[in-house]
Amino acid sequence: MASMDPVSIPSLSAEQEELFRLIEDTREHVFVTGRAGTGKSTLLQHLAWNTEKQIAVCAPTGVAALNVEGQTIHSLFRLPIGLIADSELEQSEPARRVLKAIDTLVIDEVSMVNADLMDAIDRSLRQARGRRSEPFGGVQIIMFGDPYQLSPVPPRGDELRYIQDHYRSFWFFDAQVWAGPSTDGSAIRSDGLLDLGRVGAPLHIRELRQIHRQSDDGFKAMLNAVRHGVVTAEIAGMLNAAGARPVPEPVEGEPPIITLATRNDIVSRINQRHLDALPGAVQTARADVSGDFGRGEASYPADTELQLKVGAQVMFLRNDVGGRGDGPRWVNGSIGTVTRIAGGTVRVELDGEEVDVEPAVWERFRYAYDPGSRKLTREIVAEFTQFPLRLAWAVTIHKSQGKTYDRAVIDLGSGAFAPGQTYVALSRLTSLDGLYLSRPLRPSDILVDADVRRFMAGVRAAGF
């Protein structure tokens, strides 16, 4: 996702503009979903820059929070890690002041938020704002995400038993604040609101439909079939036939081909093998980390030690924010080849043109309340400085989330192991012409979570 530089945010489509007005002009709770490439991130950025409301943006993980220049949910609400259940919520006075000042809370990647955490957000806001009978203490909740792509970490042991006793599923849409006893299709009313039963917090569900990443209607239909788990033999045959080609050798002036794999160890092995095969010595760029970045390297946006050689295939990890007047020189997910490493810069050949890349600074924010202006402010609490690059002969499917590629090798290895994994991989591509499969797709690779299928079937039954 792009850095929230207003210059780099595309203009909204008609359906995005209509949805922005619903969010901005009302106090309704809204869940914004849609297939890969429909512009959910663009709408979120536009909202963050153009709203007149006191807005706080958060996400379930450190990297996701960095991408939206917000704060993690646990940090914003001072919540403990793990199952929260009905434990006492401790709130300091500064934390309460922040939560009292919020008009609208935006949650990105909400599909990774479990039901227990969603209820804890509700309870925290009620408690801090002294409005215990009102869902979320009167704060408007705007959620972005696609349950077909990312899921919450499944519970185990005692946590699993608790969830089974108290929730229909572990997904955010089955939280008590939304559903009460259930969220089957009958809970969605004809006016498009999710009837939240005994708690009474209605939720507008809006699915963006205009796909910006792909233009071919046939490929869009195939991806939609994979997304919903309704792949026919004919569709599987077309995907397998298109992908059953040898991977071409690199051609000067053409973007390199990246491999999208299921597991970290596969990706590390591919990248290391290619790096070792290049002549010359490895040069290492070490990140500069200052302040509190949370839970170690898992929360870092890039490698703490980036090993490069001339000839290395790399992927950009954020948009160019210092580009020329004719637009950014690269975007998050662009792939190029290192041609020179010297003088504190890395030169990368990108689409036949060489660009000099300097270290970038990622800032971690924390919301604070300014009593003088009576407004929320954002404080920088940590900085991470590193070249915005990663070795990219291969990347995990999970880390390819949000990226766009013209060509890619999809390596599902022994099989997809998570719902939505195959859909995420295939939907990174702009066209069927760019698909290369390390092996044919199998029926077992098409996984859709049963609870997502049940929830979204109810949404579609309501006409969305």
Side-chain angles (χ1 to χ4, degrees):
M1 179 173 170
S3 174
M4 287 193 185
D5 175 1
V7 176
S8 68
I9 301 175
S11 57
L12 296 185
S13 66
E15 69 169 354
Q16 289 170 325
E17 179 64 34
E18 180 183 359
L19 191 43
F20 171 70
R21 294 267 48 108
L22 170 66
I23 295 169
E24 184 68 8
D25 297 342
T26 75
R27 299 291 304 160
E28 305 290 349
H29 306 305
V30 184
F31 170 40
V32 182
T33 189
R35 287 175 280 178
T38 50
K40 297 184 292 294
S41 297
T42 297
L43 177 58
L44 190 156
Q45 289 178 307
H46 182 89
L47 173 64
W49 274 101
N50 293 281
T51 183
E52 297 294 328
K53 299 175 180 178
Q54 290 290 298
I55 190 171
V57 182
C58 62
T61 69
V63 172
L66 284 173
N67 287 339
V68 292
E69 296 187 358
Q71 195 169 346
T72 65
I73 294 170
H74 285 85
S75 173
L76 176 62
F77 288 93
R78 305 294 195 269
L79 294 171
I81 302 300
L83 189 70
I84 300 166
D86 56 357
S87 60
E88 184 68 25
L89 298 178
E90 297 182 5
Q91 293 178 332
S92 65
E93 184 56 34
R96 281 197 296 271
R97 284 198 296 266
V98 168
L99 299 182
K100 285 180 180 179
I102 296 173
D103 293 326
T104 299
L105 178 72
V106 176
I107 307 174
D108 194 29
E109 302 291 13
V110 72
S111 63
M112 298 177 70
V113 175
N114 64 54
D116 173 66
L117 182 57
M118 180 61 69
D119 280 336
I121 292 171
D122 168 49
R123 194 149 56 95
S124 295
L125 288 168
R126 295 186 197 223
Q127 180 175 311
R129 298 164 70 87
R131 298 164 72 173
R132 293 179 181 268
S133 63
E134 193 170 354
F136 300 104
V139 172
Q140 180 187 31
I141 305 297
I142 308 298
M143 302 176 290
F144 289 82
D146 182 6
Y148 286 108
Q149 296 187 56
L150 290 173
S151 60
V153 177
R156 297 179 180 177
D158 288 341
E159 291 190 3
L160 174 59
R161 285 184 283 274
Y162 178 89
I163 293 300
Q164 290 172 336
D165 283 345
H166 292 81
Y167 293 100
R168 183 166 185 176
S169 82
F170 205 43
W171 288 85
F172 76 94
F173 48 73
D174 280 331
Q176 295 292 336
V177 65
W178 295 135
S182 68
T183 51
D184 57 15
S186 64
I188 300 178
R189 307 189 321 224
S190 60
D191 60 2
L193 293 177
L194 183 64
D195 187 349
L196 302 182
R198 58 184 175 80
V199 183
L203 174 65
H204 282 267
I205 301 169
R206 292 292 183 267
E207 186 167 6
L208 293 171
R209 299 192 178 279
Q210 183 180 349
I211 298 175
H212 305 279
R213 182 173 294 148
Q214 295 92 17
S215 58
D216 178 73
D217 289 339
F219 188 40
K220 290 179 185 178
M222 293 181 208
L223 293 177
N224 201 42
V226 174
R227 182 177 189 243
H228 292 101
V230 291
V231 176
T232 63
E234 181 183 9
I235 291 173
M238 287 188 289
L239 288 169
N240 284 330
R245 299 170 289 163
V247 180
E249 294 296 321
V251 176
E252 186 174 350
E254 289 188 3
I257 299 179
I258 190 171
T259 294
L260 308 183
T262 53
R263 301 200 321 262
N264 277 307
D265 60 330
I266 297 173
V267 167
S268 297
R269 188 163 59 247
I270 293 172
N271 284 332
Q272 194 62 52
R273 183 178 74 244
H274 282 280
L275 187 67
D276 291 344
L278 293 174
V282 169
Q283 298 195 50
T284 303
R286 292 177 173 81
D288 180 25
V289 184
S290 63
D292 177 16
F293 240 92
R295 293 182 286 166
E297 296 197 16
S299 62
Y300 292 160
D303 294 334
T304 53
E305 292 192 353
L306 174 63
Q307 294 190 331
L308 295 176
K309 288 183 181 180
V310 171
Q313 185 166 303
V314 292
M315 179 176 69
F316 285 83
L317 300 178
R318 61 187 298 173
N319 287 10
D320 174 29
V321 295
R324 303 160 305 190
D326 56 351
R329 296 165 294 174
W330 62 78
V331 296
N332 186 5
S334 294
I335 301 173
T337 303
V338 174
T339 59
R340 182 173 178 264
I341 306 171
T345 64
V346 176
R347 184 166 294 169
V348 177
E349 182 182 347
L350 192 67
D351 296 329
E353 181 180 351
E354 291 192 339
V355 295
D356 286 326
V357 185
E358 298 179 344
V361 180
W362 285 265
E363 297 170 332
R364 183 172 183 180
F365 295 97
R366 180 175 61 205
Y367 287 97
Y369 178 69
D370 181 356
S373 63
R374 296 185 179 181
K375 292 184 178 181
L376 286 177
T377 62
R378 288 192 309 169
E379 301 173 343
I380 298 173
V381 296
E383 291 185 343
F384 182 98
T385 305
Q386 176 62 288
F387 289 100
L389 302 170
R390 171 181 286 136
L391 291 178
W393 287 283
V395 67
T396 61
I397 293 170
H398 182 78
K399 287 183 178 176
S400 75
Q401 190 79 21
K403 309 292 195 301
T404 300
Y405 306 112
D406 291 328
R407 303 186 298 172
V409 179
I410 309 299
D411 182 358
L412 296 175
S414 59
F417 57 82
Q421 199 170 43
T422 301
Y423 171 66
V424 170
L426 293 172
S427 62
R428 301 309 96 198
L429 291 164
T430 56
S431 72
L432 193 60
D433 292 338
L435 173 64
Y436 298 85
L437 293 170
S438 64
R439 63 157 176 81
L441 295 174
R442 307 166 185 158
S444 58
D445 294 322
I446 311 300
L447 301 174
V448 180
D449 185 275
D451 289 300
V452 171
R453 194 190 298 270
R454 177 252 308 168
F455 174 70
M456 292 304 292
V459 173
R460 290 192 298 276
F464 291 92

